[in-house]
């Protein structure tokens, strides 16, 4: 069933991949046809003709909505009131907020009522969240109004491109920022752990907490990727509910959940100091 999801969600990309012998072979290995028969679309019939598709995915995406909106809602008001003035804090706040929008779009499009509106909401949320993760991970100086206006302008462009652009454009917006956010996010985790270890003022408890949450974030990212690579085995072991879509949402939820306490440890550097971490 995951192959059908990919073909309907990313039709241009899948069609292009199937034209290349190597990529076609990889798709055949990862998503063989017999799995489609053994793992049909999971449904829960509600009232009348109403049905909930992918119930486990619905639960995971709903949790992602709560995570994104609550975390973003916690961070962004503090940016507006300037009670938090750390570099990257503004970007990370929007990363969580857009992630909540992505999960909301995914919840409705995949599980409740597939439509172009919710499909584009998923695309926009994914692209904007990934761009925000990149900006937050490189600790862009988003404390200035000019930088914030520039970032908001990028969001506006992504929204316009997703709404008005071609299908191929939407798929580029979905895949491109997502892949490009991986390296900056990994660098961010390395940076905060390195600075925590080097800063004498940082307590051992804080160092351990940052390391622990960094490990959880990496585990979540690997879970999301592993859901793609191991889709056929996961589906055979656990059933249709626990195929690619579920592990993608769950893994991203875990990764973003772990990033939240790490980002809260960021602190504005004092004069003459380099570390970007709270001292206690």
């Amino acid at each position: 069933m995951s192959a059908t999801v990919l073909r309907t969600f990313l039709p241009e990309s899948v069609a292009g991949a199937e034209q290349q012998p190597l990529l076609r072979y990889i798709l055949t290995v990862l998503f063989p046809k017999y799995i489609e028969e053994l793992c049909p679309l999971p449904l829960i019939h509600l009232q009348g003709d109403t049905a909930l598709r992918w119930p486990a995915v619905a639960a995971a995406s709903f949790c992602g909505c709560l995570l994104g909106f609550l975390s973003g809602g916690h961070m962004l008001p503090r940016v507006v009131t300037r009670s938090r003035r750390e570099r990257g804090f503004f970007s990370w706040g929007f990363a969580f907020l857009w992630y909540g929008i992505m999960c909301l779009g995914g919840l409705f499009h995949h599980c409740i009522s597939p439509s172009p509106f919710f499909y584009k909401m998923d695309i926009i949320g994914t692209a904007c969240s990934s761009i925000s993760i990149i900006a937050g991970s490189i600790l862009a100086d988003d404390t200035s109004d000019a930088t914030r206006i520039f970032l908001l302008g990028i969001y506006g462009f992504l929204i316009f491109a997703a709404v008005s652009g071609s299908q191929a454009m939407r798929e580029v917006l979905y895949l491109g920022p997502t892949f490009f956010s991986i390296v900056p996010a990994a660098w961010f985790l390395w940076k905060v752990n390195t600075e925590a270890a080097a800063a004498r003022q940082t307590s051992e408890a804080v160092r351990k907490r940052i390391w622990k949450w960094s490990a959880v974030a990496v585990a979540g990212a690997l879970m999301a990727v592993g859901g793609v690579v191991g889709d056929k085995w996961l589906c055979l072991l656990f059933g249709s509910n626990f195929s690619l879509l579920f592990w993608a949402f769950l893994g991203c939820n875990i990764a973003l959940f772990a990033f939240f306490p790490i980002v809260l440890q960021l602190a504005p550097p004092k004069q003459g100091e380099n570390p970007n971490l709270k001292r206690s």
Side-chain angles (χ1 to χ4, degrees):
M1 194 62 214
S2 295
T4 301
V5 171
L6 290 177
R7 290 192 184 97
T8 55
F9 197 81
L10 301 169
E12 297 286 338
S13 300
V14 173
E18 290 177 339
Q19 299 300 315
Q20 305 297 323
L22 177 59
L23 295 179
R24 183 171 62 249
Y25 173 75
I26 292 174
L27 287 176
T28 302
V29 171
L30 293 179
F31 309 106
K33 290 185 178 180
Y34 69 87
I35 292 295
E36 301 250 4
E37 300 175 0
L38 295 175
C39 297
L41 174 67
L43 290 169
I44 291 181
H45 293 281
L46 302 176
Q47 292 181 343
D49 295 331
T50 305
L52 180 68
R53 310 188 314 166
W54 303 100
V57 174
S61 56
F62 178 74
C63 289
C65 291
L66 294 179
L67 169 65
F69 292 136
L70 292 177
S71 300
H74 174 84
M75 297 173 68
L76 289 174
R78 286 159 176 78
V79 173
V80 173
T81 60
R82 298 191 180 276
S83 61
R84 297 296 298 259
R85 300 183 299 276
E86 298 83 348
R87 292 176 60 169
F89 205 80
F90 176 85
S91 300
W92 276 109
F94 269 105
F96 284 103
L97 182 64
W98 284 115
Y99 181 74
I101 292 173
M102 180 203 85
C103 289
L104 182 62
L107 170 62
F108 277 89
H109 182 71
H110 293 299
C111 306
I112 299 175
S113 178
S115 72
F117 176 81
F118 293 117
Y119 174 76
K120 292 174 183 178
M121 180 186 291
D122 193 344
I123 296 291
I124 291 168
T126 303
C128 291
S129 182
S130 298
I131 290 295
S132 301
I133 289 173
I134 293 172
S137 294
I138 63 175
L139 297 176
D141 188 7
D142 54 8
T143 58
S144 69
D145 291 338
T147 304
R148 292 178 180 181
I149 291 173
F150 177 73
L151 190 57
L152 292 174
I154 293 177
Y155 297 151
F157 168 77
L158 293 173
I159 293 171
F160 176 80
V163 172
S164 304
S166 64
Q167 177 60 31
M169 172 63 75
R170 282 188 278 272
E171 294 181 31
V172 169
L173 294 177
Y174 184 84
L175 296 173
T178 301
F179 285 121
F180 282 117
S181 68
I182 295 173
V183 172
W187 180 83
F188 174 78
L189 293 178
W190 172 83
K191 180 179 176 62
V192 294
N193 278 276
T194 301
E195 290 189 347
R200 295 180 180 179
Q201 301 93 332
T202 303
S203 68
E204 185 64 23
V206 170
R207 293 191 186 99
K208 289 182 178 179
R209 186 160 61 247
I210 292 172
W211 185 91
K212 175 188 69 176
W213 285 118
S214 297
V216 173
V218 172
L222 292 176
M223 180 183 294
V225 175
V228 178
V229 177
D231 176 76
K232 60 183 179 182
W233 295 289
L234 292 168
C235 189
L236 291 173
L237 284 172
F238 303 112
S240 300
N241 261 307
F242 301 97
S243 53
L244 180 154
L245 267 180
F246 172 78
W247 300 105
F249 275 106
L250 181 62
C252 290
N253 286 353
I254 291 173
L256 267 293
F257 181 79
F259 266 101
F260 181 68
I262 297 173
V263 173
L264 292 184
Q265 289 294 144
L266 293 174
K270 298 179 181 179
Q271 188 173 2
E273 292 183 351
N274 182 43
N276 285 304
L277 295 169
K278 287 185 175 180
R279 309 301 182 253
S280 61

